[in-house]
Amino acid sequence: MANMTIGIIGAGRIGQLHAEHIINSSSLRLKGICDLEIAHLKDTSIEHNVPMITTNASMLIEDDEIDAIFICSSTDTHCDYIEKCANAGKHIFCEKPISFSLEQTKAALEKVKEAGVKLQIGFNRRFDTHFRKVYHTIQGGQIGKPHIIKITSRDPEPPNEEYIQSSGGMFFDMTIHDFDMIRYLSPSEVKEVSVATANLIDLRFERHDDVDTAIITLTFEDGSIAVIDNSRKAVYGYDQRIEVFGEKGMVTADNERKSNVQVATQDAVKMDQPKYFFLDRYKDAFQQEIQEFSQAVMNQEALTCTGEDGLQAQRLAIATKKAWKEKRPVLLSEI
Amino acid sequence: MANMTIGIIGAGRIGQLHAEHIINSSSLRLKGICDLEIAHLKDTSIEHNVPMITTNASMLIEDDEIDAIFICSSTDTHCDYIEKCANAGKHIFCEKPISFSLEQTKAALEKVKEAGVKLQIGFNRRFDTHFRKVYHTIQGGQIGKPHIIKITSRDPEPPNEEYIQSSGGMFFDMTIHDFDMIRYLSPSEVKEVSVATANLIDLRFERHDDVDTAIITLTFEDGSIAVIDNSRKAVYGYDQRIEVFGEKGMVTADNERKSNVQVATQDAVKMDQPKYFFLDRYKDAFQQEIQEFSQAVMNQEALTCTGEDGLQAQRLAIATKKAWKEKRPVLLSEI
Amino acid sequence: MANMTIGIIGAGRIGQLHAEHIINSSSLRLKGICDLEIAHLKDTSIEHNVPMITTNASMLIEDDEIDAIFICSSTDTHCDYIEKCANAGKHIFCEKPISFSLEQTKAALEKVKEAGVKLQIGFNRRFDTHFRKVYHTIQGGQIGKPHIIKITSRDPEPPNEEYIQSSGGMFFDMTIHDFDMIRYLSPSEVKEVSVATANLIDLRFERHDDVDTAIITLTFEDGSIAVIDNSRKAVYGYDQRIEVFGEKGMVTADNERKSNVQVATQDAVKMDQPKYFFLDRYKDAFQQEIQEFSQAVMNQEALTCTGEDGLQAQRLAIATKKAWKEKRPVLLSEI
Amino acid sequence: MANMTIGIIGAGRIGQLHAEHIINSSSLRLKGICDLEIAHLKDTSIEHNVPMITTNASMLIEDDEIDAIFICSSTDTHCDYIEKCANAGKHIFCEKPISFSLEQTKAALEKVKEAGVKLQIGFNRRFDTHFRKVYHTIQGGQIGKPHIIKITSRDPEPPNEEYIQSSGGMFFDMTIHDFDMIRYLSPSEVKEVSVATANLIDLRFERHDDVDTAIITLTFEDGSIAVIDNSRKAVYGYDQRIEVFGEKGMVTADNERKSNVQVATQDAVKMDQPKYFFLDRYKDAFQQEIQEFSQAVMNQEALTCTGEDGLQAQRLAIATKKAWKEKRPVLLSEI
């Protein structure tokens, strides 16, 4: 009874996650999945449920039954696949970031535009219940004009060294979600970025010319200000909070905890910790983003999160990296 | 790839809920569903996904492929179906309460025993993340011996009159979950029950010799005490809280809210309300209970919630009704 | 610059507390304090600040400068002192309970009425910021008609044996505050009382024909219900919570914690515990009750908490004790 | 029975606050108060309780009975009074900031050192229960080495124009408390400051070359980072929160609310707002700071908050102002 047929390029952690959600969705069909190495899919539910498992992406891109392609391969392959998919008339869901190069991204977006296909970027947090309610609270005028936007975004533990090396650095890999969230929530675009960074957690970040701790300050065209604090290691769990302070009030989204249970003893009153990491925390958001993508494609509606949003988040990552390297505030107009 | 094949008797609200979860489970297969009236299933995902839709329960009970039957029909049919399923060697998942008559229930449980099939009762709350953590906190000795168990259990709005009429009354329909939770959490069995009742919400309850508000006090064999407060109408949402107070501390489970968002303005700081009703609140628990049922059946393991548990909860409902009618504390040994 | 001169009979824990608050109040003057044994006041701020320290209560009662007497001596002396103060035309603040005998209390209240003096009973919780806000929320109609009133009232640790012996039992000593709070919050008077009790904490209670754990259920004339849960030993601190559930909503007052600090680590998220006991928890309420008493006396205004309130709370304690002893619901009209 | 005799210079809002606390303290005596205009003290408790009310500060500074002087006059007079008090051998409690000029402050501190008198600066927040618990949590090693310190500090409404004009600007008037708190909590000293500012609330700030909104980022010698967000207008009340994130966990201090009452209705669940402003929020801290000052003076103990702390907070304010004006990060070594 599926209404849309999908292929996935890239069967890593995030590719497998989308695969499972598509398999379990009664309105979507996963026809094929492609990965350079497919041995690790043996005996998984993907092997049992997906007709075509291949190392050749063209098999999917050129398949007439497939309506849309999910690009979940490594970042350096994104733009090439976007262009190929666009040329083949496939709608596209591409993981973040689009690329590390503005030129490549712009060229790819141009092809998408020419082909008239849809392109959604994997900023899953826009589809989170809590953050979406923050968005609607602002849109509804309940807190008036935003003055200060604060995002706390901390991972529970650092990734492995291989991941660090190919991640493009914290701003491209981790903060990119926060940059997009800032843009999602603010009525104004960013004008300037400055950053204070630190290497406090793990020598491997420094070794790969990366940081593990940062406070990023962004000023908007309308004069308001945002601040993001990032850490690669919050031992108490995945810390994902938002606070927007405005002329008429403040809206906040607190962490989801593992449970609502409290234990009070002679020593302390203990609550449960935040959910451990993004697979738990954003489980519903990951499902919601593919539902909305397929709805938008099938009903020819506007997307919640477009290629342009991917491009702008990428510009913010580039500006922040520049601010870090040059130890000065960087205007977005420089990028 | 399904490991177990299931049939469902009764396609009302709860039957449809289980049907959807089974359809979406990659390890379970829903072969057939039976209801007296099947017209309302037209154009649903059940019609699209279930091979056999019938008005004849025997079609399912006698189907050789079917391993287990879910009994989701009206309470007065439960025992008959349990016996038939047991005779046919089917494992059984039966909704609560088993019946309104102790004799019927006992006879049915006897047949189950003779047939050597598994019978799980639909006390979904035992499978809730929060309440299960309360259970494990007690089991782990963190609060010592329980002294006082408190359950708040309030529906967001009264059911319709037809439902009230066939529900068996609040104690059989609503409090039965709380009785089971009390037994799940307490290391001791109930000795005596007393109750204070009221009709404050809706004249329809009184008209059908039922109550809409109650405080039920239960004393245990070991001397500890429990108290349940029920209401048929909590305008702020489904109120489901537990508190267990013991010699070394207290463990509580608070409501799940619609979101973790707060809005602070000149007037107030507003939080979101509890989730609206059981379909939202216990969504994960409903999935978990069928997963654990199928695991237990396939692996021949002990069930978390047995026919005996259903019988004991039923005794507590009968005792409470007696305490209400006779305006006195009732010993469980009287039942 | 004091506007009112006060004498205190009884320099125990609560008498000394009031003494300190009066000494520190710029509008009140503490002229004298009386106790059977005054040696323990040596080198205290009372010795340094109170002109008259005596073992003879008549010295205070007959002193022309003294406007009001605080009766903080043992319960069995209250009525005698109330009568003497009334005869001497002194306004009276008397600690709870007024007495253990309804006849004595009624006779004393009669004298107070004849003398035309003011009598306030020491139900300090009526003057607590949080509980008063609960009261005003109900009065303002925000939750509509109350259906269920719940009070959790648990001491952090049992008193010593001497105290237990002379306390009159838990219902007179501890629950009396909850009985008054129930009456303060409810728009209706109590009709019937039932109780489940336990001895789980300390053998000394049983030895003195007392209980240490109880669930008390009260039904009101208007059909609504209240439930109080008491324990003599909450290891996590003084547990003082109120919940009022009504037709249009619910109002709750949570505990005051030692601080608003939380510590999140790999093991847990820890909050601070409730304040340890009544001296901390109700510090402001104790000050407020004497301020309002003195205002009412000086301005000839109505009291927030009268002798009649003391009498009614006492009736509830008697009814509860009877319900416990006779193992049945007791109508308040029996008392 | 007072142990220490005090004089106050300056009877404005803060001078009167200290006066009342000293009057109500049984261990302190307020002998005199000085102000340029004393008419506004007529009929206050100060007039009734303070023997000497004068427009001549020398009357206090030269009074042999007076042990310590509280300097609560306008900032531009602080250093002159500090020097005079020091020369007269008086211990000194001086409100913040010490001055707007580093040279003046240094010269004044030199005199204090020479005279061997004690000097405490009015950073009242160091004496707050919640923040002190944060401090002790860090000191106790529970969160390991701090990585990120976050302070939210927002006033409920802007001051009047006259106040703005003489305040020295937001960084000297308001953020100075946050600068001191940062230093109190961090094990390392600040190395560099940068700031993003905005004028979003009130044109009067801009008119007086001031800002009303700011995000201040501070990096420490040990590599860790702090961020302060300030606003002159939080319509929901005085917002005073701290969060310290470290290698082993996080400690937070949330706002004190007006009450712990919640009201749940069909529309929302409402909590009370933060206390309105500093007089409410830091009431206990104001009392605690003068108690600890007097204890330290009488017992010749070390102060919690010294002239050196005042000097360092002043340097941070100067650096932040410079960072604002020059639109670049400023090294503290430049100041």
Coordinates of all heavy atoms in Angstrom, one line a residue, chain C residues 134-196:
Chain C
V134 N -2.8 28.5 47.6 CA -3.7 27.4 47.3 C -5.1 27.9 47.7 O -6.1 27.7 46.9 CB -3.3 26.1 48.0 CG1 -4.5 25.1 47.9 CG2 -2.0 25.6 47.5
Y135 N -5.2 28.4 48.9 CA -6.5 28.9 49.4 C -7.1 29.9 48.5 O -8.3 29.8 48.1 CB -6.3 29.4 50.8 CG -7.5 30.1 51.4 CD1 -8.6 29.4 51.9 CD2 -7.6 31.5 51.3 CE1 -9.7 30.1 52.5 CE2 -8.7 32.2 51.9 CZ -9.8 31.5 52.4 OH -10.9 32.1 52.9
H136 N -6.3 30.9 48.1 CA -6.9 32.0 47.2 C -7.2 31.5 45.8 O -8.1 32.0 45.2 CB -5.9 33.1 47.2 CG -5.9 33.9 48.5 ND1 -7.0 34.5 49.0 CD2 -4.9 34.2 49.4 CE1 -6.7 35.1 50.1 NE2 -5.4 34.9 50.4
T137 N -6.4 30.5 45.4 CA -6.7 29.9 44.1 C -8.1 29.2 44.1 O -8.9 29.4 43.1 CB -5.7 28.8 43.7 OG1 -4.4 29.5 43.6 CG2 -6.0 28.2 42.3
I138 N -8.4 28.5 45.2 CA -9.7 27.9 45.3 C -10.8 29.0 45.4 O -11.8 29.0 44.7 CB -9.8 27.0 46.5 CG1 -8.8 25.8 46.3 CG2 -11.2 26.4 46.8 CD1 -8.5 25.0 47.6
Q139 N -10.6 29.9 46.3 CA -11.5 31.0 46.5 C -11.8 31.8 45.3 O -12.9 32.2 45.0 CB -11.0 32.0 47.6 CG -10.9 31.4 49.0 CD -12.3 31.2 49.6 OE1 -13.2 32.0 49.5 NE2 -12.5 30.0 50.2
G140 N -10.8 31.9 44.4 CA -10.9 32.7 43.2 C -11.7 31.9 42.1 O -11.9 32.4 41.0
G141 N -12.0 30.6 42.4 CA -12.8 29.8 41.5 C -12.0 29.2 40.3 O -12.5 28.6 39.4
Q142 N -10.7 29.3 40.4 CA -9.8 28.8 39.3 C -9.9 27.3 39.1 O -9.7 26.8 38.0 CB -8.4 29.2 39.5 CG -8.1 30.7 39.4 CD -6.6 31.0 39.6 OE1 -5.8 30.5 38.9 NE2 -6.3 31.8 40.6
I143 N -10.2 26.5 40.1 CA -10.4 25.1 39.9 C -11.8 24.6 40.1 O -12.1 23.4 40.2 CB -9.4 24.3 40.9 CG1 -9.8 24.5 42.3 CG2 -8.0 24.7 40.6 CD1 -9.3 23.3 43.2
G144 N -12.7 25.6 40.2 CA -14.1 25.2 40.4 C -14.3 24.6 41.8 O -13.5 24.7 42.7
K145 N -15.4 23.9 41.9 CA -15.8 23.2 43.1 C -14.7 22.1 43.4 O -14.5 21.2 42.5 CB -17.1 22.6 43.0 CG -17.6 21.8 44.2 CD -19.0 21.2 44.0 CE -19.3 19.9 44.7 NZ -18.7 19.8 46.0
P146 N -14.1 22.1 44.6 CA -13.2 21.0 44.9 C -13.9 19.6 45.0 O -15.0 19.5 45.5 CB -12.7 21.4 46.3 CG -12.9 22.8 46.4 CD -14.2 23.1 45.7
H147 N -13.2 18.6 44.4 CA -13.7 17.2 44.5 C -12.9 16.4 45.4 O -13.4 15.6 46.2 CB -13.7 16.6 43.1 CG -14.8 17.2 42.2 ND1 -14.9 16.7 40.9 CD2 -15.7 18.1 42.3 CE1 -15.9 17.4 40.3 NE2 -16.4 18.2 41.1
I148 N -11.6 16.5 45.3 CA -10.7 15.7 46.1 C -9.6 16.7 46.7 O -8.9 17.4 46.0 CB -10.0 14.6 45.3 CG1 -11.0 13.7 44.7 CG2 -8.9 13.9 46.1 CD1 -10.4 12.6 43.7
I149 N -9.4 16.6 48.0 CA -8.3 17.4 48.7 C -7.4 16.3 49.2 O -7.8 15.4 49.9 CB -8.9 18.2 49.8 CG1 -9.9 19.3 49.3 CG2 -7.7 18.9 50.6 CD1 -10.5 20.1 50.4
K150 N -6.1 16.5 48.9 CA -5.1 15.5 49.4 C -4.0 16.3 50.1 O -3.4 17.2 49.6 CB -4.5 14.8 48.2 CG -5.4 13.8 47.5 CD -4.9 13.3 46.2 CE -3.6 12.4 46.4 NZ -3.2 11.9 45.0
I151 N -3.7 15.8 51.3 CA -2.6 16.4 52.1 C -1.6 15.3 52.4 O -2.0 14.2 52.9 CB -3.1 17.0 53.4 CG1 -4.0 18.2 53.1 CG2 -1.9 17.4 54.3 CD1 -4.5 19.0 54.3
T152 N -0.4 15.5 52.1 CA 0.7 14.7 52.5 C 1.4 15.4 53.7 O 1.9 16.5 53.5 CB 1.7 14.4 51.4 OG1 1.1 13.6 50.4 CG2 2.9 13.6 51.9
S153 N 1.6 14.8 54.8 CA 2.1 15.4 56.0 C 3.0 14.4 56.7 O 2.4 13.5 57.4 CB 1.0 16.0 56.8 OG 1.5 16.6 58.0
R154 N 4.3 14.5 56.5 CA 5.1 13.5 57.1 C 6.3 14.1 57.9 O 7.0 15.0 57.3 CB 5.7 12.5 56.1 CG 4.6 11.8 55.3 CD 5.2 11.1 54.0 NE 4.2 10.6 53.2 CZ 4.3 10.4 51.9 NH1 5.5 10.6 51.3 NH2 3.3 9.9 51.1
D155 N 6.5 13.7 59.1 CA 7.6 14.3 59.9 C 8.9 13.6 59.4 O 8.9 12.5 59.0 CB 7.4 14.0 61.4 CG 6.4 15.0 62.0 OD1 5.9 15.9 61.3 OD2 6.1 14.8 63.2
P156 N 10.1 14.3 59.6 CA 11.3 13.7 59.2 C 11.8 12.6 60.2 O 12.5 11.7 59.8 CB 12.3 14.8 59.2 CG 11.7 15.8 60.1 CD 10.2 15.7 60.0
E157 N 11.4 12.7 61.4 CA 11.8 11.7 62.4 C 10.9 11.7 63.6 O 10.3 12.8 63.9 CB 13.3 11.8 62.8 CG 13.6 13.1 63.4 CD 15.1 13.2 63.8 OE1 15.7 12.1 63.9 OE2 15.6 14.3 64.0
P158 N 10.7 10.6 64.3 CA 9.8 10.5 65.4 C 10.3 11.4 66.6 O 11.5 11.6 66.7 CB 9.8 9.0 65.8 CG 10.5 8.3 64.7 CD 11.4 9.3 64.0
P159 N 9.4 11.9 67.4 CA 9.8 12.6 68.6 C 10.3 11.6 69.6 O 10.2 10.4 69.4 CB 8.5 13.3 69.0 CG 7.4 12.4 68.5 CD 7.9 11.8 67.2
N160 N 10.8 12.2 70.7 CA 11.2 11.2 71.8 C 10.1 10.7 72.6 O 8.9 11.1 72.4 CB 12.2 11.9 72.7 CG 11.6 13.1 73.4 OD1 10.5 13.1 73.9 ND2 12.3 14.2 73.5
E161 N 10.4 9.7 73.4 CA 9.3 8.9 74.0 C 8.5 9.8 75.0 O 7.2 9.6 75.0 CB 9.9 7.7 74.8 CG 8.8 6.7 75.2 CD 9.3 5.3 75.3 OE1 10.6 5.1 75.0 OE2 8.5 4.4 75.5
E162 N 9.1 10.6 75.7 CA 8.4 11.5 76.6 C 7.3 12.3 75.8 O 6.2 12.5 76.3 CB 9.4 12.4 77.3 CG 8.8 13.2 78.4 CD 9.9 14.2 79.0 OE1 11.0 14.3 78.3 OE2 9.6 14.9 80.0
Y163 N 7.8 12.8 74.7 CA 6.9 13.6 73.8 C 5.7 12.8 73.4 O 4.5 13.2 73.4 CB 7.6 14.2 72.6 CG 6.8 15.2 71.8 CD1 6.9 16.5 72.0 CD2 6.0 14.7 70.8 CE1 6.2 17.4 71.2 CE2 5.2 15.6 70.0 CZ 5.4 16.9 70.2 OH 4.6 17.8 69.5
I164 N 6.0 11.6 72.9 CA 4.9 10.7 72.4 C 3.9 10.5 73.5 O 2.7 10.6 73.2 CB 5.5 9.3 72.0 CG1 6.5 9.5 70.8 CG2 4.5 8.3 71.7 CD1 7.3 8.2 70.4
Q165 N 4.4 10.3 74.7 CA 3.5 9.9 75.8 C 2.5 11.0 76.1 O 1.4 10.8 76.4 CB 4.4 9.6 77.0 CG 3.7 8.9 78.1 CD 4.7 8.2 79.0 OE1 5.9 8.4 78.9 NE2 4.2 7.4 80.0
S166 N 3.0 12.3 76.0 CA 2.1 13.4 76.4 C 1.4 14.1 75.2 O 0.8 15.1 75.4 CB 2.9 14.4 77.2 OG 3.9 15.0 76.3
S167 N 1.6 13.5 74.0 CA 1.2 14.2 72.8 C -0.3 14.1 72.5 O -0.8 14.8 71.7 CB 2.0 13.7 71.6 OG 1.5 12.4 71.3
G168 N -0.9 13.1 73.2 CA -2.3 12.9 72.9 C -2.5 11.9 71.7 O -3.6 11.7 71.2
G169 N -1.4 11.5 71.1 CA -1.4 10.6 70.0 C -1.3 11.4 68.7 O -1.4 12.6 68.6
M170 N -0.9 10.7 67.6 CA -0.6 11.3 66.3 C -1.7 12.2 65.8 O -1.5 13.3 65.3 CB -0.3 10.3 65.3 CG 0.4 10.9 64.0 SD 1.0 9.6 62.9 CE -0.5 9.0 62.2
F171 N -3.0 11.8 66.0 CA -4.1 12.6 65.4 C -4.2 13.9 66.1 O -4.5 14.9 65.5 CB -5.4 11.8 65.5 CG -5.3 10.5 64.9 CD1 -5.8 9.3 65.6 CD2 -4.8 10.3 63.6 CE1 -5.7 8.1 65.0 CE2 -4.7 9.0 63.0 CZ -5.2 7.9 63.7
F172 N -3.9 14.0 67.4 CA -4.0 15.2 68.2 C -2.8 16.1 68.0 O -2.8 17.3 68.0 CB -4.2 14.9 69.7 CG -5.6 14.6 70.0 CD1 -6.1 13.3 70.1 CD2 -6.5 15.7 70.3 CE1 -7.4 13.0 70.4 CE2 -7.8 15.4 70.7 CZ -8.3 14.0 70.7
D173 N -1.7 15.4 67.8 CA -0.4 16.1 67.8 C 0.0 16.6 66.4 O 0.5 17.7 66.2 CB 0.7 15.2 68.4 CG 2.1 15.9 68.3 OD1 2.2 17.0 68.9 OD2 3.0 15.3 67.8
M174 N -0.2 15.7 65.5 CA 0.4 16.0 64.1 C -0.7 16.2 63.1 O -0.7 17.2 62.4 CB 1.2 14.7 63.8 CG 2.0 14.8 62.5 SD 3.0 13.3 62.4 CE 3.2 13.2 60.6
T175 N -1.7 15.3 63.0 CA -2.7 15.4 62.1 C -3.6 16.6 62.3 O -4.3 17.1 61.4 CB -3.6 14.1 62.1 OG1 -2.8 13.0 62.3 CG2 -4.3 14.0 60.7
I176 N -3.6 17.1 63.6 CA -4.5 18.2 63.9 C -4.2 19.4 62.9 O -5.2 20.1 62.5 CB -4.3 18.6 65.4 CG1 -5.4 19.6 65.8 CG2 -2.9 19.3 65.6 CD1 -6.4 18.9 66.8
H177 N -3.0 19.6 62.5 CA -2.6 20.6 61.6 C -3.3 20.3 60.2 O -3.8 21.2 59.5 CB -1.1 20.7 61.3 CG -0.4 21.5 62.4 ND1 -0.6 22.8 62.6 CD2 0.5 21.1 63.3 CE1 0.2 23.2 63.6 NE2 0.9 22.2 64.0
D178 N -3.3 19.1 59.8 CA -3.9 18.7 58.6 C -5.4 18.8 58.6 O -6.1 19.2 57.6 CB -3.5 17.2 58.2 CG -2.0 17.1 58.3 OD1 -1.3 18.0 57.7 OD2 -1.5 16.1 58.9
F179 N -6.0 18.4 59.8 CA -7.5 18.6 59.9 C -7.8 20.1 59.7 O -8.8 20.4 59.0 CB -7.9 18.2 61.3 CG -7.9 16.7 61.5 CD1 -7.3 16.1 62.7 CD2 -8.3 15.8 60.5 CE1 -7.3 14.8 62.9 CE2 -8.3 14.4 60.7 CZ -7.8 13.9 61.9
D180 N -7.0 21.0 60.3 CA -7.3 22.4 60.2 C -7.1 22.8 58.7 O -7.9 23.6 58.2 CB -6.5 23.2 61.1 CG -6.8 24.7 61.0 OD1 -8.0 25.0 61.3 OD2 -6.0 25.5 60.5
M181 N -6.1 22.3 58.1 CA -5.8 22.7 56.7 C -7.0 22.3 55.8 O -7.4 23.0 54.9 CB -4.5 22.1 56.2 CG -4.0 22.6 54.9 SD -4.0 24.4 54.6 CE -2.9 24.9 55.8
I182 N -7.5 21.1 56.0 CA -8.6 20.6 55.3 C -9.8 21.5 55.4 O -10.5 21.9 54.5 CB -9.0 19.2 55.8 CG1 -8.0 18.1 55.5 CG2 -10.4 18.8 55.4 CD1 -8.1 17.6 54.1
R183 N -10.1 21.9 56.7 CA -11.2 22.8 56.9 C -11.0 24.2 56.3 O -11.9 24.9 55.8 CB -11.5 23.0 58.4 CG -12.1 21.7 59.0 CD -12.5 22.0 60.5 NE -13.6 23.0 60.5 CZ -13.4 24.2 60.9 NH1 -12.3 24.7 61.4 NH2 -14.5 25.1 60.9
Y184 N -9.7 24.7 56.3 CA -9.3 26.0 55.8 C -9.6 26.0 54.3 O -10.1 27.0 53.7 CB -7.9 26.2 56.1 CG -7.2 27.5 55.5 CD1 -7.8 28.7 55.8 CD2 -6.1 27.4 54.8 CE1 -7.2 29.9 55.3 CE2 -5.5 28.6 54.3 CZ -6.0 29.8 54.5 OH -5.4 30.9 54.1
L185 N -9.3 24.9 53.6 CA -9.4 24.8 52.1 C -10.7 24.5 51.6 O -11.1 24.9 50.5 CB -8.3 23.8 51.6 CG -6.9 24.2 51.9 CD1 -5.9 23.1 51.3 CD2 -6.5 25.5 51.3
S186 N -11.5 23.7 52.4 CA -12.7 23.1 51.8 C -13.9 24.1 52.1 O -14.0 24.7 53.1 CB -13.1 21.8 52.5 OG -14.4 21.4 52.1
P187 N -14.7 24.3 51.1 CA -15.9 25.1 51.3 C -17.0 24.4 52.1 O -18.0 25.0 52.5 CB -16.4 25.4 49.8 CG -15.9 24.2 49.0 CD -14.6 23.8 49.7
S188 N -16.8 23.1 52.4 CA -17.8 22.4 53.1 C -17.2 21.8 54.4 O -16.0 21.7 54.5 CB -18.3 21.3 52.1 OG -19.3 20.4 52.8
E189 N -18.1 21.4 55.3 CA -17.6 20.8 56.6 C -17.6 19.3 56.4 O -18.3 18.7 55.7 CB -18.5 21.3 57.7 CG -18.3 22.7 58.2 CD -17.0 23.0 58.9 OE1 -16.3 22.0 59.3 OE2 -16.6 24.2 59.0
V190 N -16.8 18.7 57.3 CA -16.6 17.2 57.2 C -17.9 16.5 57.8 O -18.4 17.0 58.8 CB -15.4 16.8 58.1 CG1 -15.3 15.3 58.2 CG2 -14.1 17.4 57.4
K191 N -18.3 15.5 57.2 CA -19.4 14.7 57.6 C -19.0 13.4 58.2 O -19.6 13.0 59.2 CB -20.3 14.4 56.4 CG -21.6 13.7 56.6 CD -22.3 13.4 55.3 CE -23.6 12.6 55.6 NZ -24.2 12.3 54.3
E192 N -18.0 12.7 57.7 CA -17.6 11.4 58.1 C -16.1 11.2 58.0 O -15.5 11.7 57.1 CB -18.3 10.4 57.3 CG -18.3 9.0 57.9 CD -19.1 8.0 57.0 OE1 -18.5 7.5 56.0 OE2 -20.2 7.6 57.4
V193 N -15.6 10.4 58.9 CA -14.1 10.1 58.9 C -13.9 8.6 59.0 O -14.6 7.9 59.7 CB -13.5 10.8 60.2 CG1 -12.0 10.4 60.2 CG2 -13.7 12.3 60.2
S194 N -12.9 8.1 58.2 CA -12.5 6.8 58.4 C -11.0 6.8 58.3 O -10.4 7.7 57.8 CB -13.1 5.8 57.4 OG -12.7 6.2 56.1
V195 N -10.3 5.7 58.8 CA -8.9 5.7 58.9 C -8.3 4.3 58.7 O -8.9 3.3 59.2 CB -8.5 6.4 60.2 CG1 -8.9 5.5 61.4 CG2 -7.0 6.6 60.2
A196 N -7.2 4.2 58.1 CA -6.4 3.0 58.1 C -5.1 3.4 58.8 O -4.4 4.4 58.4 CB -6.1 2.5 56.7

